[in-house]
Amino acid sequence: MDNTAFPAGSNLGGMIAPAVDGAQPWLVEVGADGAERVFTYDDLHRVAAGVARALRARGLKRNARVGLIGLNSAEYLLSYYGIMQAGYSAVPIGYKLAQPTVEYILGDARVDCLYADADWAARLDGTLPVLPLGDRAAWQAHLDEGPFEIEPVQARDAATILYTSGSTGIPKGVPLTHGGYIWTLGQVSVNGGDFIRRTAARVLTAAPLSHMNALFLSKTVTAYGGTLVLMTQFDARAFLESCARHQCGIVTAVPTMLALCARETEALARLDLGSVRSVAVGSAPITDALFERIASMFPQAAVQNGWGTTETGPAVFGPHPAGLPRPRLSLGHPLPGVEVRLEGGTADEGELHVRNGAIMPGYLNREEDTRRCLKDGWYRTGDVMRRDADGFFYFVSRADDMIVCGGENMYPGEIELLLEKHPGVAQAAVVAVPDEIKGQVPAAFIVRSAGSTVGEDEIKQFALSRGPAYQHPRFVRFIDAMPLSAANKIDKQRIKKMADGLHR
């Protein structure tokens, strides 16, 4: 990759493919009602400049912080680019978050003004200047269209401040720098970037723009000259229909979204999804059974299991340098320029520590958390990984999810993988519950496969026959669907609340 295309001292808001015909579609917005709007690369340049001019006219100080809260939309993404082009830091906020959490983020990030949809504008107390987001006419009226010179920035300046959803506690602000993001853009040439550039690929996503997955994807597509097909909200059937209608070459999603797509048997039978060449799955672990279902849905595609954190960015793993094929469920091999090590276990299994060009400078206003997780440029991820003989890495579980049962250590992720090998299990989530004798025991919450009547005893016997006895779930509960977080991941905190009262 010629990294001169992404100079490190540049403004991330200006990382727009320079050789693309201005009339080429940059964004296709797919509404919840199926209505579509198309925006070209010329529209992106013109309208982002209008956002930047409008913000600058407000007299905001350099590096001011501008929030964004609302559903996915063209206006959201155009505002995001305009914020950065003006030299300000964007603060995307999950629209599904509880109001006290949103108010905490606005205060913690010291947001100067906020783009908000009508619902959120009405819910906030009015102490913060609010710009329209969901009202298209009002948003259009706020633009100050005209020429704009993109603001020069320092590589260490924050382009975006993302808040981690976190498994527990108050969300933490992660400043992500212009230089770090631009370094990452150069690295992802091997993880889809070059394919986008060669084919002007259409790339489908429905993940919230307030999270790393979709937000960085939008920058990758824009920098490499593709077309982003963006759904305002996720719906499994509409997702598949959009993929077929726009002949998308790349599909990105979190595992739970694709698990829901796999249930759409009627749509899958009638739609042609042969255009898809790559399915990028990330933000949460994937199981062998789901991998099979994804491969059958997209028969011409390579299915890739991705990994990244808000703190490290997504450019950690990729192809093997010797060209070895990536094993199923592997996250890949460390990219050139990325350092990794495993700590606290064996030589080939332990907690992953990462150092690369995109590591955050530190959590916002959280010095103690920064000291605990970041040292000499190494970020302690909290994820337990396994490395095979060829150097490929595999996710095992979160380090803080470990269950200690009668002195035996086990990880929920390993039990979930085992349970999802049962043909009657579509999804499994495992959490610890207290036990007077063992200290902790695993409890499993299961979504059955379509038509399955599998019961608790069968699940327990299946686990006992295929794994160590101490690892089998002592409790099995069946649910209709997994609770999801704002990022469409399985919400383990809600699962734990569902397990309250289970004990032995």
Side-chain angles (χ1 to χ4, degrees):
M1 176 67 194
D2 177 11
N3 283 319
T4 60
F6 305 114
S10 299
N11 186 315
L12 181 65
M15 294 296 100
I16 301 169
V20 172
D21 185 326
Q24 178 185 315
W26 161 65
L27 176 72
V28 179
E29 180 201 87
V30 182
D33 60 356
E36 296 184 353
R37 296 190 294 160
V38 178
F39 295 80
T40 67
Y41 273 83
D42 278 345
D43 293 330
L44 169 59
H45 285 286
R46 175 179 56 81
V47 181
V51 170
R53 285 168 58 98
L55 290 173
R56 290 288 290 276
R58 300 182 70 86
L60 299 176
K61 63 184 182 299
R62 180 177 172 81
N63 295 322
R65 294 164 181 174
V66 181
L68 289 157
I69 186 166
L71 293 171
N72 286 359
S73 67
E75 287 80 10
Y76 190 116
L77 207 48
L78 288 162
S79 298
Y80 177 65
Y81 271 89
I83 291 166
M84 293 189 294
Q85 289 184 10
Y88 306 139
S89 300
V91 185
I93 304 169
Y95 71 93
K96 290 184 179 179
L97 294 175
Q99 184 163 338
T101 304
V102 171
E103 292 173 345
Y104 167 79
I105 291 172
L106 293 172
D108 186 63
R110 299 185 181 92
V111 168
D112 295 279
C113 68
L114 174 69
Y115 282 97
D117 63 17
D119 175 62
W120 272 107
R123 291 164 65 182
L124 298 172
D125 61 12
T127 59
L128 189 68
V130 174
L131 297 170
L133 189 58
D135 184 328
R136 295 175 185 174
W139 183 86
Q140 184 69 33
H142 106 285
L143 298 175
D144 180 11
E145 294 197 19
F148 184 79
E149 192 74 28
I150 294 176
E151 182 72 16
V153 295
Q154 299 295 316
R156 64 179 179 275
D157 289 344
T160 306
I161 300 172
L162 283 180
Y163 274 77
T164 60
S165 54
S167 56
T168 59
I170 298 172
K172 298 187 287 289
V174 182
L176 299 166
T177 66
H178 288 270
Y181 259 133
I182 291 171
W183 176 89
T184 305
L185 282 176
Q187 298 299 309
V188 299
S189 61
V190 298
N191 282 344
D194 281 347
F195 175 77
I196 293 171
R197 182 164 51 190
R198 288 195 316 271
T199 65
R202 295 196 168 206
V203 182
L204 175 64
T205 191
L209 287 169
S210 53
H211 295 269
M212 173 69 81
N213 186 305
L215 195 62
F216 185 75
L217 175 71
S218 71
K219 290 191 278 289
T220 301
V221 173
T222 302
Y224 283 90
T227 298
L228 184 67
V229 180
L230 176 71
M231 299 187 68
T232 59
Q233 299 181 69
F234 174 72
D235 173 84
R237 179 169 298 186
F239 187 84
L240 294 169
E241 290 173 341
S242 294
C243 181
R245 183 166 58 254
H246 293 286
Q247 291 292 284
C248 293
I250 298 176
V251 168
T252 69
V254 299
T256 47
M257 295 163 67
L258 293 172
L260 291 170
C261 286
R263 296 183 179 183
E264 297 293 331
T265 53
E266 181 275 331
L268 289 168
R270 64 179 167 83
L271 295 173
D272 179 5
L273 302 174
S275 63
V276 180
R277 292 295 181 267
S278 175
V279 180
V281 187
S283 298
I286 185 174
T287 65
D288 198 68
L290 181 56
F291 189 101
E292 283 283 357
R293 291 198 290 272
I294 296 169
S296 67
M297 285 191 289
F298 304 100
Q300 305 301 319
V303 182
Q304 296 191 348
N305 189 19
W307 180 89
T309 69
T310 305
E311 294 87 346
T312 64
V316 176
F317 299 111
H320 196 283
L324 299 179
R326 183 184 299 193
R328 177 175 295 193
L329 303 191
S330 168
L331 304 171
H333 187 281
L335 290 166
V338 176
E339 298 175 84
V340 298
R341 65 190 188 199
L342 298 173
E343 298 284 348
T346 67
D348 291 313
E349 183 169 311
E351 183 183 5
L352 180 71
H353 292 207
V354 174
R355 184 161 66 180
N356 68 13
I359 296 290
M360 66 168 184
Y363 291 113
L364 190 67
N365 309 322
R366 305 282 282 267
E367 292 184 7
E368 184 176 341
D369 288 321
T370 298
R371 283 193 298 270
R372 185 174 64 252
C373 296
L374 197 61
K375 184 176 182 181
D376 299 328
W378 286 92
Y379 174 67
R380 178 181 178 181
T381 68
D383 284 346
V384 177
M385 299 279 187
R386 176 175 61 83
R387 176 174 47 208
D388 70 15
D390 293 318
F392 287 107
F393 279 71
Y394 303 78
F395 177 83
V396 176
S397 193
R398 288 288 299 169
D400 54 9
D401 281 347
M402 186 174 72
I403 300 171
V404 182
C405 177
E408 298 284 358
N409 297 340
M410 67 189 85
Y411 290 106
E414 294 176 321
I415 306 173
E416 290 160 0
L417 283 171
L418 172 65
L419 296 177
E420 289 180 356
K421 292 182 184 296
H422 189 290
V425 175
Q427 289 177 288
V430 173
V431 296
V433 297
D435 181 87
E436 291 182 3
I437 297 173
K438 298 289 188 180
Q440 294 177 313
V441 294
F445 289 79
I446 287 174
V447 176
R448 292 183 176 98
S449 300
S452 170
T453 58
V454 64
E456 180 173 0
D457 288 343
E458 185 177 345
I459 292 295
K460 289 180 178 179
Q461 290 304 313
F462 181 83
L464 282 165
S465 67
R466 287 164 173 79
Y470 63 80
Q471 194 170 269
H472 84 281
R474 303 328 192 257
F475 299 93
V476 177
R477 298 293 182 266
F478 296 95
I479 55 179
D480 293 333
M482 289 293 172
L484 302 181
S485 70
N488 290 325
K489 303 178 187 180
I490 292 176
D491 189 337
K492 279 292 185 79
Q493 291 309 301
R494 287 172 63 187
I495 293 288
K496 289 175 181 178
K497 288 181 180 178
M498 292 163 64
D500 285 349
L502 297 178
H503 60 83
R504 294 180 17 156

